[in-house]
Structures are given as structure tokens and as C-alpha cells.
Amino acid sequence: MNVGDIKKKASEFFTEYLNHTIDISCVSSDKKDEDDDFFPLEISKNSSRLSDTLKEYSQETLEVFLHSKNKTGVGYSLEVEYVNTRSNGRKSIIKSVYFENENDYLDFINVKSRVENLKFALAILSMDKVLPPPELRSWAKKHVKDLTAVYEDGAVFWHNIGQCALWVNKSAKEPLQYIPAEFVAANKKLIQSLFKNGEAEIQIVSAQKNVEPQNKNPVKRTQVETEHEESKNEIEPVATEDVGRESKPFFIRFRSLSVENPLKLGRLVPREISLQLDDFVHLNQTNFLKEITTVLIVNDETVFQTFPKSEHVLCIYGPDYAVNALKLCEWFSRYQLIYFGDISEHCFDVLSAFRNTWMKTETICMDGNTWERFVGSAEPGSHLKNNVVPKNLNESEKNTFLSLRLTADRNKLPQEKIPMDYVLQFLDAVKICGPEEKQTAEENPET
């Protein structure tokens, strides 16, 4: 027996393991905590006789040992037994080969990502209550290939699949949110497989054609068309390159949050200043930024006007996609950038667009902990068109975004609903430094 033989034998248990995993994933919630008895998994017991080609046997034993968890810390484990022989004295033999736990097994046969896809998909379908546990278990065992496949934005994909099936079954409690007809058409067979009676047909009707459904349980054309038309009214990113001399000037509003170094125009200390974009891009050539090290961009006007004092911070009002205009400010590269928007799909998309230019941008109060703490103040919000997930989000931000996507309503937490003392705790945590510390960091980037 060599390492290749062990992998082959281990792979033979994969189907059995998948069925077991589906059984565990689809049990009712009151049984979720029962012990998983699949591991340790023994895949081979020693049956070789010591007299059989002792030299070759020793070489194979050495190879198997060197690649085992006993030696490397990962993969299969060996149960070793010591025996006495007449001709070779005391000798160690491999009594059995086994896997201690799930991670060791999945890593060794290189299927961990497939299993994670399956578990994640079943978790979404279970949470959405698409089918009762026994029926979901039976369905899953017939669709293992679909469940283990890789889909872009997997959580959104399986949520949409489930919502389509629920809606056609007329068991969804909430109205069907906008799901593109193209998505339904591409996944028609998979959606249909989740119908309780297994016999219903789904009618895909293009939003551009005035065709009536021919079926009792279609995805209704009016639902798709109406929400498609509403989505056209969403705000699109500002295209600053198209701003010409004859167009209306684009202004940037900003204020200093510093007590010791407020903005000054001679003897005047204005609460805020508004400059045309063409002038604002050269702001670093003035004395305004002398003590500034951090630029805070705020999405809400009221929050912008009432944000508390904070040394070394310049606060900019950046509503919606208008922040894209700030990509022209080359001097941003020398400052700490922080974005503070609503916890909403829209603001996460704004953040992603801004990071196309300024990837180093940090956020405050746009995380899962803030959402969970103040979710009671949430209100209905819009979903992005075509169910896209913004690209430039870190892991925490993306998880929060997906939580919003899975929320039927009350999926927006306006930033003005978050207490300001809580916001300031976040601002303190990003470690805003003074000009001297900033200069030292720039001169010694490796420290």
C-alpha cells in the first residue's frame, strides 16, 4: 500500500460522506447538536504478512509514514504496531490508516471547497424554508452536482433560487423581489426541481415582450416588468469626465473637524466651505490642510453638518455616487481616507466605486456588529440592479452586504440612526495621527 492507494481508497468514501453531510445539514433545528459519528474514518487495515518482500514493504511503509499526519500534522493518521520477528528483530508495522476529522479528510482528497459550497447552499435553502427538512434532504441527494458547484455570489444565487420556487409554490410570505428574467431562464430546471408537486412548469416571459403567461404558476410578467422599470430610476455613478465648461459647476462641500486648527478665511472662521471641483482638486496648495492628516467622507448631509469635533480631520459631504468626482484629487494619495455611509446595498456600491481609485479607503460603522446592534432602527432600502455584489469590499463588509441582500425588508440602517458616541469610538479605533506622526511614517514606511 502506498500514498496513491490511500487517496484512492479515501475517495471511495466521498459519496457516503456527502450523503451523511446532507443528512446532518437537513435535520430539524432541535437535532443539529447531535454528535457526528462519521469520523474517525478508518479506510484500511494492515493485511500484509511480514514475510512478503520485506525490503519493498519497508520502503512503502517509510513513504506512507513520511506523508502521514503523524509526520506532517495533516492528512491521514497511522496506527502503528510493534512486533518481534525472528529474522528482523523488533519491527513497526502499520496496523490501520484513518482520518481523525473532517478537515483532514477533505484536505487530503482536495474537495473542501465543494463541500463548503454544499453546506452553504443547504443552509440558505433551510433558512428560507424552501422545503421541509425530509423533502430537502431527498432533493439534495439528487442534486449533489448542483449543490457542490461554484456560483458567483453563492448566497445570492441560492436565495434567488429558493425565492423563485417559494413564489411559484405561493408559499412565500414576502412579495418576490426583483430577480432578472435572464436568471430565471438560465436556472429554470433547477428552480422547477424544487416545486413541491414536481409537475409545475415555469413560464419565462421577456420584459420586452407583451406576452401573457400560458400557465397556472408562472413567474409573473408584470412583477418582473414593473420592478425592472423602477430599477431604471436608480442613481447612476457620476461621470466626471463629461463635465464640460458649459455644464453646471460641480461643488464640493467640506469642513474641518479640528478645534485647534479650523478653516480660516482671514478673520472669518466659516463653519463649512464650498468650492468648485476644479478648485478643490488644488486644495492641498493652500494652508487649509496644514494640520490635516485624515479625510472623512460622509454620505448624509445632516451627519456632515453635525459631526463632532475631531482633531486632524477634514470632513467632506459626499452624497451617493458624487464621490466619484473626488478621484480627481491626486493629493488624496497622501492622506488617510475614511468613508462613512449608510449600511445599505447602495452605499456599499458607492464605497466599491470609490475604491476603484482609492483602494486604501477605510470605513466606520459599516460592519456586521453595528448592523446587529442597531438593526431595530433599520428601514426598507433598495436592492442593486441585477443582484450584483460590489467587488471592492473586504470580507467583513461583504458578509454584511450579503446579510442585507438576504433581508426582505428593513435592509437599510441610515447613518443618522447610529448614536454619535458609538461613531466616535470607531473613529478613535482607526488611529488618526497628527502631522508629525504622519511625516515620520512617510519617511520610514517600513516601521
Side-chain angles (χ1 to χ4, degrees):
M1 181 178 64
N2 55 37
V3 177
D5 294 331
I6 294 175
K7 180 161 289 190
K8 182 179 178 181
K9 287 178 178 289
S11 298
E12 292 172 355
F13 285 88
F14 188 50
T15 298
E16 181 182 348
Y17 164 80
L18 287 175
N19 287 330
H20 174 80
T21 301
I22 291 171
D23 289 338
I24 295 297
S25 299
C26 295
V27 298
S28 56
S29 57
D30 59 335
K31 295 182 180 180
K32 289 279 188 185
D33 296 330
E34 291 184 357
D35 292 336
D36 185 346
D37 58 356
F38 196 82
F39 294 95
L41 172 64
E42 186 174 71
I43 66 165
S44 179
K45 288 188 175 181
N46 178 58
S47 58
S48 299
R49 293 178 300 173
L50 294 179
S51 59
D52 292 346
T53 56
L54 184 60
K55 183 177 180 180
E56 293 182 7
Y57 178 82
S58 298
Q59 290 175 343
E60 285 189 350
T61 300
L62 179 61
E63 178 192 4
V64 169
F65 176 75
L66 291 176
H67 288 83
S68 71
K69 184 175 181 179
N70 305 54
K71 182 67 175 179
T72 66
V74 293
Y76 59 86
S77 298
L78 303 176
E79 182 182 358
V80 179
E81 183 178 42
Y82 293 92
V83 297
N84 295 315
T85 66
R86 290 183 179 179
S87 57
N88 295 288
R90 186 169 176 78
K91 182 175 179 61
S92 62
I93 64 171
I94 298 173
K95 186 176 181 181
S96 68
V97 180
Y98 65 97
F99 292 91
E100 289 187 36
N101 54 55
E102 183 181 54
N103 284 333
D104 287 342
Y105 177 64
L106 299 182
D107 283 340
F108 183 71
I109 61 175
N110 196 29
V111 294
K112 193 169 185 178
S113 61
R114 293 175 59 191
V115 173
E116 288 176 348
N117 293 339
L118 178 140
K119 289 183 177 180
F120 192 56
L122 289 178
I124 296 295
L125 295 174
S126 296
M127 182 174 64
D128 287 351
K129 298 182 179 179
V130 176
L131 290 173
E135 295 179 30
L136 180 60
R137 178 168 61 246
S138 177
W139 175 87
K141 290 182 179 180
K142 297 176 183 177
H143 294 84
V144 171
K145 186 175 180 180
D146 295 312
L147 292 167
T148 56
V150 177
Y151 299 99
E152 185 176 359
D153 309 324
V156 176
F157 175 87
W158 285 109
H159 179 65
N160 287 346
I161 292 291
Q163 289 305 302
C164 285
L166 284 171
W167 191 75
V168 176
N169 283 327
K170 297 182 179 179
S171 59
K173 296 181 180 179
E174 301 292 339
L176 184 65
Q177 298 170 3
Y178 174 65
I179 296 177
E182 294 82 0
F183 175 90
V184 182
N187 300 285
K188 176 180 176 180
K189 186 176 180 180
L190 186 58
I191 295 170
Q192 186 174 323
S193 71
L194 283 164
F195 293 172
K196 289 180 181 177
N197 56 22
E199 298 175 354
E201 283 290 335
I202 188 167
Q203 180 80 14
I204 309 299
V205 181
S206 172
Q208 286 74 34
K209 296 181 180 180
N210 187 18
V211 182
E212 293 299 326
Q214 303 296 320
N215 184 284
K216 293 182 180 180
N217 298 313
V219 172
K220 296 183 180 179
R221 178 183 63 82
T222 53
Q223 176 78 6
V224 174
E225 286 185 339
T226 301
E227 297 193 10
H228 176 71
E229 289 301 319
E230 289 176 354
S231 69
K232 291 181 179 179
N233 297 323
E234 293 187 14
I235 300 174
E236 295 291 345
V238 174
T240 57
E241 293 84 356
D242 295 333
V243 178
R245 292 183 179 179
E246 301 301 323
S247 61
K248 182 180 178 181
F250 188 82
F251 284 85
I252 304 294
R253 295 168 57 186
F254 60 97
R255 54 188 292 252
S256 172
L257 302 184
S258 174
V259 175
E260 297 181 2
N261 295 280
L263 300 177
K264 293 182 180 180
L265 293 174
R267 295 183 179 181
L268 179 65
V269 182
R271 183 176 180 81
E272 71 172 67
I273 294 177
S274 181
L275 287 178
Q276 287 191 27
L277 178 60
D278 289 345
D279 295 323
F280 184 80
V281 296
H282 302 295
L283 188 66
N284 64 313
Q285 299 175 12
T286 70
N287 289 326
F288 283 148
L289 303 180
K290 185 178 180 180
E291 298 296 324
I292 297 296
T293 61
T294 301
V295 174
L296 171 66
I297 301 168
V298 177
N299 176 255
D300 181 81
E301 183 176 16
T302 301
V303 175
F304 162 73
Q305 293 177 332
T306 60
F307 205 97
K309 296 297 182 180
S310 183
E311 294 303 312
H312 314 301
V313 178
L314 183 77
C315 188
I316 297 175
Y317 175 45
D320 299 321
Y321 293 101
V323 297
N324 283 355
L326 299 175
K327 68 182 181 182
L328 301 177
C329 300
E330 180 275 334
W331 53 272
F332 271 20
S333 62
R334 298 186 291 278
Y335 291 80
Q336 181 180 30
L337 300 180
I338 302 173
Y339 177 76
F340 177 29
D342 303 330
I343 297 184
S344 68
E345 290 192 29
H346 179 75
C347 281
F348 275 119
D349 194 48
V350 172
L351 169 64
S352 177
F354 188 68
R355 279 182 176 160
N356 281 331
T357 303
W358 306 113
M359 195 63 197
K360 67 176 183 177
T361 305
E362 303 171 70
T363 60
I364 56 173
C365 300
M366 296 181 70
D367 63 305
N369 290 334
T370 301
W371 168 251
E372 292 177 4
R373 182 166 179 174
F374 301 107
V375 67
S377 300
E379 59 187 43
S382 62
H383 291 285
L384 297 182
K385 292 189 295 184
N386 300 323
N387 293 311
V388 299
V389 176
K391 296 181 179 179
N392 299 321
L393 304 181
N394 62 36
E395 198 65 28
S396 174
E397 294 161 351
K398 186 174 182 179
N399 289 338
T400 305
F401 177 91
L402 292 177
S403 296
L404 301 177
R405 176 59 57 80
L406 296 176
T407 305
D409 56 7
R410 293 171 62 84
N411 59 333
K412 172 184 176 181
L413 178 62
Q415 58 188 149
E416 63 266 25
K417 298 293 182 67
I418 304 175
M420 196 51 66
D421 57 347
Y422 182 86
V423 176
L424 290 177
Q425 291 178 19
F426 262 80
L427 198 59
D428 291 340
V430 297
K431 298 180 180 179
I432 296 173
C433 62
E436 294 181 359
E437 295 171 292
K438 176 188 172 187
Q439 184 178 358
T440 301
E442 291 175 346
E443 294 174 352
N444 303 280
E446 296 182 358
T447 60

